[in-house]
Amino acid sequence: MRQPKWWQDAVVYQVYPRSFYDANGDGVGDLRGITEKLDYIASLGVDVVWSCPFFVSPWADGGYDIADYRAVDPAFGTMEDFEALVAGVHARGMKFVMDFVGNHTSDEHPWFQAALADKNSPYHDYYTFRPGKDGREPSNWASIFGGSAWEYVPALDEYYLHLFAKKQPDLNWENPQVVEEVLSILEFWADKGVDGYRLDAINYLYKEPGYPDVEPLPGSPYGFATAHYANKPRVHEHFRTLRSRVMGPRGLSTVAEVAYLDDETARGYADPARGELDMLYLFDVLNVDQQGFDKFSPLPLDLPRFKQALAHWQQVLHGHGWLALFLGNHDQPRAVSRFGDEGRYRARSAKMLANAMYFLQGTPYLYQGEELGMTNPHYTSLSQFKDVEALDALRAGLARGESEQHWLELLNARSRDCGRAPFSWNDGPAAGFTAGTPWMDPCADAAQINAAAEENDPDSVLNFYRTLIRVRKGRPSVLWGRTDFLVPEDPDLFVYTRTAEEEALLSVNNFSGEERHFPLPQGFAGGELLLSNCGAPQLDEEGVLTLRPWEGFVLLRKQQP
Ligand code: NOJ
């Protein structure tokens, strides 16, 4: 069999440090907290720990607004704590990956402060400042978080560009000095033992000069200008520089958060022969239950569309790149609340989701708490929400005259805070997350759904994940098999085969609370049951399966020699 790279046969566990575990009782998760829970993480059988940002930050965007790239924020601990964490990860045979936020800094970063203080400072050109046009912004580009992407600085009589929050000015990668700074930051952490990087919003590095006006969004003077800043050809050059100067020589892996991709660009980024990126974390695959770009205009899950999006990327990247597989992250609601049944069939549907997603081709990225089937937090007051995106959307919604009750429901279903509520460790105060007052309230159901309870239940979601991670490891069909979706138009069934030379597997999943019938595909009768959330599949003499609500299983068949 072909030998995989270490990250191809890996499962990654993503930690959002502020919400994982608080070791010092100040209410905020910290690096020592992660270190204290490494045995738990390792017990899942995962190979890699990815931590979201823990650098000095005013926390305007959950730590993705960095004011010092080389220092641990005191809220998270010290550099010694970081070194102990990496040593602890390595001692357990795992790798450590961290975020690199290169598209923007915090407005409190000394570079930006210097840029504001003096137009002639070399740091002014680290960012994008432009004069206004006809007394307005240089263009009508919208910020991803709402409003204009330009902010006026009266003292300079100029605007600066921020694709995200106004406290996140975009770096100017056309300035070679900026690229050198970035390379040296990447080397700094590599010297400290980091094994790879998750590259944040990294396909936005190049903005078309001229910043042409775009079609405004309904009811707004601003419009999404992704055509002018996402995946521009110059980005490939930047990726090759990162690879040739740092990632390649140091043997670091890269996973890149990328959106709005076409097939050719995706292969261009990820084809190993081109030396750019290792894995693509395709942001828009999970946008299948919303209207356009607006996550606060939810739609019911369109399963055929979801399957089609996954099938598409499986096919485009098969032999031409490698995908990150995920059901959630710190920007998404909880998968079981969103795609499963968080009520009667919570555990079963959480297991089915994992069964459906993680036998596709790619590297699974489990987000903390997903392995417990944690649900959205079900807050009862708008004051419990913290995230900039949620608060901006709420403000705009209320200004349009929409009701608070409507927004409470929306934020409980769709906001990024859904995934950022503290990890539920046990049924104690603050869900065992902290001995102090938690910075965010725990989930309403933490007393029932928590790691301690699941540890003791052989049938728990947690133990299902452990089995899943064990059985997928090293399997030729999982690693290299071709993916074929069956019944792509079926609104409830999510069925695919993965066919390799040595073996083939079949993953069958019922995304509904109803019984469904499905003929067992040829060749899988008598196949080995690798994994199931309901025990042995129900198969009649005619070879027809009766699938129970939210049932999911995987069968393995040895190929004929
Ligand atoms: C993607 C990150 O996952 C998200 O949390 C952040 O707000 C944006 N990039 C901007 O850095």
Side-chain angles (χ1 to χ4, degrees):
M1 187 184 78
R2 239 169 96 192
Q3 279 313 302
K5 300 256 178 35
W6 66 262
W7 42 266
Q8 289 177 311
D9 197 17
V11 173
V12 179
Y13 189 76
Q14 181 193 351
V15 172
Y16 190 68
R18 204 173 181 91
S19 302
F20 189 57
Y21 183 61
D22 171 22
N24 68 357
D26 65 357
V28 174
D30 43 38
L31 298 184
R32 267 181 48 216
I34 308 176
T35 305
E36 286 187 22
K37 295 296 186 184
L38 283 178
D39 284 337
Y40 168 79
I41 297 176
S43 80
L44 301 171
V46 301
D47 310 274
V48 183
V49 179
W50 153 28
S51 175
C52 290
F54 44 80
F55 317 100
V56 170
S57 164
W59 211 259
D61 179 23
Y64 285 84
D65 48 319
I66 296 174
D68 185 347
Y69 283 93
R70 289 183 169 82
V72 174
D73 193 296
F76 294 114
T78 62
M79 192 56 91
E80 288 69 42
D81 294 335
F82 172 79
E83 286 159 0
L85 170 58
V86 174
V89 168
H90 288 161
R92 287 164 182 80
M94 299 184 290
K95 309 263 189 197
F96 186 80
V97 166
M98 66 181 216
D99 258 279
F100 178 70
V101 186
N103 179 68
H104 42 268
T105 69
S106 163
D107 64 341
E108 296 182 30
H109 194 289
W111 299 338
F112 193 70
Q113 289 299 312
L116 287 182
D118 180 3
K119 245 186 195 175
N120 298 315
S121 150
Y123 292 107
H124 189 260
D125 194 36
Y126 273 37
Y127 298 89
T128 298
F129 286 93
R130 288 288 176 279
K133 219 171 60 186
D134 309 325
R136 288 197 59 127
E137 297 93 348
S139 74
N140 74 341
W141 289 14
S143 142
I144 291 164
F145 290 151
S148 171
W150 297 97
E151 181 70 11
Y152 184 59
V153 183
L156 302 179
D157 190 24
E158 284 179 328
Y159 293 78
Y160 67 84
L161 181 70
H162 60 90
L163 293 184
F164 293 90
K166 69 177 179 202
K167 281 185 70 65
Q168 292 169 295
D170 280 47
L171 281 167
N172 171 19
W173 279 63
E174 292 312 289
N175 178 347
Q177 198 49 44
V178 167
V179 179
E180 290 305 318
E181 298 270 15
V182 162
L183 294 168
S184 115
I185 294 164
L186 294 170
E187 286 186 329
F188 174 84
W189 292 102
D191 285 345
K192 296 202 171 287
V194 163
D195 301 294
Y197 286 103
R198 181 264 192 190
L199 302 168
D200 182 74
I202 204 73
N203 59 332
Y204 298 159
L205 296 182
Y206 181 80
K207 286 91 184 174
E208 234 169 67
Y211 312 94
D213 279 335
V214 291
E215 182 72 21
L217 291 163
S220 162
Y222 309 113
F224 276 127
T226 44
H228 302 294
Y229 64 72
N231 306 305
K232 306 309 281 183
R234 276 280 280 156
V235 174
H236 292 287
E237 277 176 54
H238 291 314
F239 289 165
R240 287 200 287 272
T241 305
L242 298 186
R243 171 65 70 94
S244 65
R245 296 273 304 275
V246 183
M247 311 300 185
R250 306 275 191 143
L252 304 174
S253 74
T254 49
V255 56
E257 184 199 31
V258 284
Y260 312 111
L261 278 188
D262 60 36
D263 301 354
E264 196 195 336
T265 311
R267 287 181 172 177
Y269 287 160
D271 198 319
R274 290 180 45 112
E276 296 193 14
L277 302 167
D278 292 332
M279 286 170 269
L280 300 185
Y281 194 99
L282 293 178
F283 212 63
D284 25 17
V285 172
L286 288 190
N287 288 354
V288 288
D289 54 352
Q290 67 185 42
Q291 277 170 36
F293 296 119
D294 184 5
K295 64 157 59 168
F296 295 112
S297 295
L299 295 172
L301 172 64
D302 179 343
L303 196 69
R305 198 174 141 211
F306 188 42
K307 288 185 282 190
Q308 205 248 319
L310 288 168
H312 176 81
W313 291 115
Q314 290 281 299
Q315 195 227 326
V316 168
L317 291 177
H318 186 65
H320 297 280
W322 203 257
L323 273 176
L325 306 171
F326 55 96
L327 285 162
N329 57 42
H330 63 292
D331 294 332
Q332 300 288 339
R334 289 293 183 180
V336 69
S337 304
R338 178 177 187 184
F339 302 127
D341 173 354
E342 62 171 13
R344 176 159 176 214
Y345 292 113
R346 181 195 65 88
R348 195 192 284 180
S349 63
K351 293 175 194 173
M352 186 225 64
L353 289 168
N355 188 78
M357 188 59 110
Y358 298 136
F359 288 90
L360 291 169
Q361 188 169 32
T363 295
Y365 279 68
L366 313 183
Y367 178 59
Q368 64 184 42
E370 175 190 322
E371 77 280 15
L372 305 179
M374 275 180 67
T375 63
N376 287 343
H378 297 290
Y379 290 146
T380 50
S381 158
L382 286 170
S383 64
Q384 291 172 287
F385 293 89
K386 308 280 181 211
D387 179 37
V388 59
E389 182 190 64
L391 300 183
D392 280 355
L394 168 66
R395 209 172 299 121
L398 296 182
R400 288 192 298 269
E402 293 159 8
S403 77
E404 293 199 353
Q405 184 55 33
H406 171 73
W407 273 90
L408 185 61
E409 282 161 26
L410 261 186
L411 297 186
N412 264 317
R414 307 299 293 190
S415 70
R416 306 197 298 183
D417 283 328
C418 292
R420 297 180 184 186
F423 187 98
S424 302
W425 288 103
N426 57 45
D427 62 3
F433 161 69
T434 175
T437 307
W439 76 281
M440 266 187 95
D441 290 330
C443 291
D445 55 18
Q448 294 78 45
I449 303 165
N450 59 68
E454 297 207 16
E455 196 65 63
N456 296 325
D457 171 6
D459 223 20
S460 63
V461 182
L462 174 61
N463 284 312
F464 183 88
Y465 264 87
R466 287 182 171 135
T467 308
L468 181 153
I469 291 167
R470 184 165 41 77
V471 302
R472 76 184 296 289
K473 190 137 202 102
R475 291 224 157 268
S477 51
V478 176
L479 278 165
W480 311 121
R482 193 192 66 233
T483 306
D484 292 293
F485 271 86
L486 313 182
V487 290
E489 295 305 326
D490 190 291
D492 300 327
L493 297 185
F494 187 102
V495 183
Y496 57 90
T497 53
R498 301 284 319 281
T499 312
E501 267 171 41
E502 303 87 335
E503 60 176 28
L505 69 74
L506 168 75
S507 172
V508 178
N509 307 279
N510 178 8
F511 269 69
S512 87
E514 309 294 325
E515 240 181 39
R516 288 290 315 260
H517 299 286
F518 179 66
L520 183 68
Q522 246 195 340
F524 284 96
E528 180 192 342
L529 185 65
L530 264 192
L531 188 67
S532 164
N533 66 358
C534 283
Q538 304 183 122
L539 186 66
D540 70 12
E541 281 164 10
E542 252 79 275
V544 175
L545 289 161
T546 298
L547 299 171
R548 287 157 279 207
W550 301 102
E551 179 167 358
F553 63 83
V554 171
L555 285 179
L556 185 74
R557 156 187 107 192
K558 296 286 168 210
Q559 295 291 77
Q560 304 304 340

